[in-house]
Amino acid sequence: MKIDLFQRIDNRTKGLIASEKVALLYNILTALIICVLFCQLESPWKMLLNRVWMLAGGAVLYALYNYWPCKATMALRAIFPLALLPYWYPETYDYNRLFDNLDHIFASLEQSVFGCQPAILLSQYLPQSAWISEPMYFGYFSYFPMIAVVVFWTLFCKFEQFERTTFVIQSSFLLYYTIYIFLPVVGPQFYFPAIGWEQAAQGVFPDMGHYFSSHAELLPGPGYDKGLFYSLVEYSHHAGERPTAAFPSSHVGVSSILMYLAWRSSRKVFFCLLPVYVLLCISTVYIQAHYLIDVFAGFITAAMLYRMISLAYHKWFAH
């Protein structure tokens, strides 16, 4: 299928597109939070300045589109807010580190529901060999490639769905990040090493208070440590992971939303992504990034958010 991304279009979109509007809204919301917490944050001026640069980048792409309105410049405008997600994610830690950690509540709930800690048992009872470990880490690593597949499939093959797709993905991420700002849960990979693995295995979960406001150490995950995907995940974790964003699991939530979008766009894409999606959901517990209740919360919130965001798009943004 030949698609000319650079052919000028006559009926160009006026004003901001959907994903730009939700990104601007999140930018303003977090700027207000920075102003409220100004004296408690470590680098509030830098955080505010970063927002100015983001707005400037969006303005440049907006001007480029108006100078040369085509699918390529429209795609740049829609993808630019998605490219900012790696910044928005670790920033949630800058806010929620100011509140008391809540992992003792969530780990206790996990123990009450399942009678154990699945994040410990799964890595203990599954073999640590490459044939188990590498598929798990491949699934976890495939999170952002899954996003790219869905976004670029609609760009090249279902352009009429492109704006809606990027809006749904962008909105779901930013809604999860809003939750993480106010819900300081770090997950097993941070909490269990901090309290001691023996205590965690015995079901003893002390309140850590503000411990994670000054401790962000992340120990290596379980599995075959010489594997390619193990190394890639460990590298990405040490580069950008922070003690934040455990409940609900955005890995599970956003990937579930991606599957809804893939089902709507192409059944072939859906079934190609399905094995990766299953591995991803299991791997979040296997590598101890999440409690199992985080995974179930990811499924539930994904269904709710997809429905809510889709309704919002059709009500306010659909052409």
Side-chain angles (χ1 to χ4, degrees):
M1 180 184 299
K2 183 179 179 180
I3 298 178
D4 190 349
L5 294 177
F6 298 96
Q7 182 179 359
R8 294 180 67 96
I9 52 179
D10 297 325
N11 57 336
R12 66 184 182 185
T13 303
K14 297 180 180 180
L16 298 179
I17 59 176
S19 59
E20 290 174 328
K21 289 180 180 179
V22 73
L24 178 61
L25 180 62
Y26 187 81
N27 205 328
I28 294 171
L29 170 65
T30 51
L32 291 174
I33 295 174
I34 292 169
C35 293
V36 171
L37 301 175
F38 194 88
C39 295
Q40 298 171 268
L41 295 169
E42 288 189 354
S43 306
W45 284 115
K46 181 180 178 181
M47 295 167 73
L48 290 173
L49 181 60
N50 285 338
R51 280 152 179 77
V52 174
W53 287 117
M54 292 173 190
L55 292 174
V60 169
L61 293 177
Y62 182 83
L64 177 63
Y65 173 79
N66 280 282
Y67 174 76
W68 191 271
C70 62
K71 291 181 180 180
T73 51
M74 172 64 77
L76 288 175
R77 289 178 61 188
I79 292 173
F80 177 68
L82 291 175
L84 298 177
L85 292 173
Y87 171 81
W88 294 123
Y89 167 70
E91 194 190 69
T92 61
Y93 173 62
D94 293 323
Y95 309 115
N96 68 38
R97 68 191 299 183
L98 303 177
F99 310 123
D100 284 341
N101 173 257
L102 300 177
D103 274 76
H104 61 290
I105 297 174
F106 285 82
S108 297
L109 178 60
E110 181 100 331
Q111 192 78 21
S112 298
V113 172
F114 302 108
C116 64
Q117 291 296 311
I120 295 177
L121 294 183
L122 194 61
S123 61
Q124 283 182 344
Y125 287 101
L126 283 179
Q128 300 296 297
S129 58
W131 65 276
I132 288 291
S133 174
E134 278 294 277
M136 290 294 178
Y137 280 91
F138 166 76
Y140 195 83
F141 178 78
S142 298
Y143 185 44
F144 286 105
M146 282 181 67
I147 297 171
V149 167
V150 173
V151 168
F152 285 103
W153 173 266
T154 56
L155 172 61
F156 290 104
C157 301
K158 295 277 187 176
F159 190 76
E160 69 278 4
Q161 298 180 15
F162 179 71
E163 183 179 356
R164 177 183 180 275
T165 297
T166 53
F167 171 74
V168 170
I169 296 172
Q170 180 76 15
S171 299
S172 60
F173 266 110
L174 297 184
L175 285 169
Y176 278 120
Y177 291 175
T178 304
I179 294 172
Y180 300 151
I181 288 174
F182 301 103
L183 193 65
V185 184
V186 303
Q189 63 184 344
F190 287 102
Y191 181 63
F192 289 170
I195 66 172
W197 291 98
E198 290 186 4
Q199 281 204 95
Q202 293 169 7
V204 179
F205 308 112
D207 184 348
M208 299 301 289
H210 278 71
Y211 175 84
F212 294 106
S213 65
S214 57
H215 293 80
E217 300 83 9
L218 179 62
L219 296 179
Y224 180 67
D225 60 6
K226 294 181 176 58
L228 171 62
F229 290 104
Y230 178 96
S231 300
L232 290 172
V233 170
E234 286 295 302
Y235 174 79
S236 64
H237 274 186
H238 286 286
E241 190 60 79
R242 301 291 185 274
T244 183
F247 183 91
S249 169
S250 60
H251 259 70
V252 172
V254 173
S255 62
S256 297
I257 289 170
L258 291 172
M259 296 304 289
Y260 296 147
L261 292 169
W263 180 264
R264 175 188 173 94
S265 177
S266 168
R267 302 299 162 83
K268 290 181 180 179
V269 174
F270 175 87
F271 285 111
C272 286
L273 292 178
L274 185 58
V276 179
Y277 169 69
V278 172
L279 283 173
L280 185 151
C281 293
I282 299 172
S283 69
T284 58
V285 180
Y286 173 83
I287 74 167
Q288 300 169 346
H290 290 282
Y291 305 106
L292 187 53
I293 57 172
D294 301 341
V295 173
F296 289 121
F299 292 139
I300 295 169
T301 54
M304 295 170 59
L305 290 180
Y306 181 77
R307 177 63 174 168
M308 181 179 71
I309 295 168
S310 296
L311 288 174
Y313 179 80
H314 288 294
K315 183 175 182 179
W316 290 311
F317 302 113
H319 302 300

